[in-house]
Amino acid sequence: SLVALDYFGLVEILPQPENAKDKVVPVQVNLTPAPRSIYTAGVNYGTRSGAGFSLGVERRYLNTRGHKALAQIDYANKRKTATVQYRVPAFAWLDGWYTASLQAADEQTNYVNSRRLEFVASRSGQYNDHLNLVASMHVLRERWAFNVADDGGGATAPVDFRYASFVYPSLRAEYIDVDERLAPRRGAGGTLTLRGGTGGSNGNATFTQLHASVQWFHGLAADSRLIARGELGHTFTRNLLDLPPSLRFYAGGDRSVRGYGWHEIGPRIVTTGGDYFTGAPNVVTASLEYERYFHGPWGAAVFVDSGSAFAGRTPDMHTGVGIGLRWRSPVGPVRIDIARGLNSPDSPLTLHLNIGADL
């Protein structure tokens, strides 16, 4: 518990059996405070967002009660976010955190123009070694448009923005039971989220949303493993058009259906300037991957992914296949995948890069 709190650079536990009395052994705990402030800076590039940078500062402890504070900005040509967060440790009932956060986001790509302001108040609790629970309340204000119409003469018509405000609670369960968090060979992990509320442009829209995801790992030999992933989500609403992009489901891209572009599977608006992907009330995806390491930290993988974001009862499944390179780097697993979608004969090859733990 002391290590997980992030307050201390060194936690030393020294039992003293020589001073035992009535079968009770005293324990001495030596704590060395960690640096109070953490400063971060980085540069990034995305094919949809352009070049950008990020800056952040976190105060590990503001006072003797261990309160934490965080401020961070992520600024790119077509994507900008600013976040402030305040956390208070909670020990009653379940160990966890009281958190209040405010985030402003602006995204302008070739298919969406969106601005969002969201306040979240939450309470997390570690139920046991494998299960973490989070209850939160969200206040969301969002403005969006999916495309800008061309009048044929090179000029653009005024953007027809939609506006929506929502207030909704959310319950989230996060389960992880694996032999090793960084690169599991046995076990499973998953999340289950239930959220819903009222709002919309006129305040009369309602929605209830259920989303589940799972990952399963099975070691086949000393240097190989099988990885299965699945995702299922459904939205109960009669006012789908009033739901902003951040409350819709998407499919395609990294950790979804490789072989297709980011969020490109699902309903779309077709124009002479391109296709604009609008998101959907439902999503289903599945993936099966075989991974084998041949020499030291280097390995390879083959995989098949399938899924869809869809409206109605029947998903329009899109399948992609591919191969990948694996590297157990000092900072965690690095995965480079090349995939191709099978639902279009002229589908281009896509390149996917992921760095970090599987869970």
Side-chain angles (χ1 to χ4, degrees):
S1 295
L2 292 171
V3 172
L5 284 172
D6 194 31
Y7 298 139
F8 309 106
L10 178 63
V11 178
E12 188 179 24
I13 310 296
L14 301 174
Q16 300 174 327
E18 67 277 6
N19 298 326
K21 184 178 180 180
D22 297 329
K23 297 185 178 181
V24 175
V25 178
V27 175
Q28 178 179 331
V29 181
N30 299 326
L31 303 175
T32 303
R36 190 173 188 178
S37 299
I38 305 172
Y39 300 94
T40 59
V43 294
N44 54 71
Y45 176 79
T47 54
R48 293 191 181 277
S49 60
F53 66 90
S54 61
L55 298 171
V57 58
E58 180 182 1
R59 296 282 276 185
R60 277 194 171 108
Y61 46 92
L62 292 172
N63 48 39
T64 58
R65 295 182 177 273
H67 294 194
K68 292 175 174 285
L70 169 73
Q72 186 171 2
I73 61 171
D74 187 356
Y75 190 97
N77 185 34
K78 295 183 178 181
R79 185 203 67 248
K80 306 166 182 65
T81 60
T83 306
V84 291
Q85 185 185 86
Y86 195 91
R87 291 198 296 163
V88 177
F91 302 109
W93 185 49
L94 297 176
D95 287 357
W97 297 92
Y98 294 104
T99 304
S101 65
L102 180 66
Q103 183 178 78
D106 180 278
E107 182 181 7
Q108 298 184 31
T109 68
N110 59 353
Y111 71 94
V112 68
N113 185 330
S114 172
R115 285 185 178 178
R116 172 174 54 85
L117 183 66
E118 184 173 15
F119 174 78
V120 182
S122 67
R123 167 65 159 100
S124 65
Q126 194 70 34
Y127 185 78
N128 56 37
D129 291 341
H130 306 300
L131 182 61
N132 186 59
L133 305 174
V134 183
S136 57
M137 179 62 70
H138 300 247
V139 180
L140 173 68
R141 174 67 172 175
E142 193 161 346
R143 183 206 74 175
W144 75 96
F146 284 113
N147 68 316
V148 179
D150 192 322
D151 64 2
T156 56
V159 180
D160 183 20
F161 285 111
R162 296 182 64 91
Y163 297 81
S165 298
F166 279 89
V167 177
Y168 61 92
S170 174
L171 298 174
R172 180 180 176 90
E174 303 166 347
Y175 179 83
I176 298 177
D177 183 10
V178 294
D179 56 348
E180 182 184 354
R181 291 289 294 268
L182 197 61
R185 290 183 49 78
R186 180 205 59 78
T191 63
L192 180 64
T193 303
L194 174 65
R195 61 183 182 179
T198 61
S201 58
N202 56 10
N204 296 325
T206 62
F207 81 100
T208 301
Q209 203 168 69
L210 185 65
H211 181 262
S213 64
V214 65
Q215 296 186 68
W216 175 74
F217 306 90
H218 179 66
L220 298 176
D223 296 316
S224 63
R225 62 176 181 166
L226 193 65
I227 307 170
R229 300 184 181 93
E231 176 191 20
L232 185 64
H234 179 68
T235 305
F236 301 88
T237 183
R238 295 181 179 178
N239 312 92
L240 178 62
L241 295 180
D242 281 336
L243 291 184
S246 63
L247 293 179
R248 303 185 188 189
F249 290 125
Y250 301 87
D254 297 336
R255 301 205 178 194
S256 178
V257 183
R258 288 162 289 187
Y260 300 89
W262 179 250
H263 288 178
E264 79 169 12
I265 300 175
R268 65 185 65 189
I269 299 173
V270 180
T271 71
T272 56
D275 295 350
Y276 300 89
F277 308 101
T278 63
N282 310 304
V283 66
V284 57
T285 64
S287 171
L288 188 63
E289 180 173 325
Y290 174 74
E291 186 179 270
R292 181 177 178 83
Y293 283 83
F294 298 102
H295 180 69
W298 296 97
V302 294
F303 57 85
V304 55
D305 300 341
S306 188
S308 178
F310 61 100
R313 297 182 178 181
T314 305
D316 180 18
M317 300 295 287
H318 286 59
T319 300
V321 297
I323 59 175
L325 177 68
R326 300 293 181 263
W327 175 39
R328 291 171 176 159
S329 78
V331 296
V334 176
R335 296 173 290 275
I336 302 174
D337 295 323
I338 298 177
R340 180 168 185 172
L342 301 181
N343 289 69
S344 175
D346 58 351
S347 177
L349 293 175
T350 60
L351 177 67
H352 305 273
L353 172 64
N354 277 288
I355 303 175
D358 292 298
L359 292 170

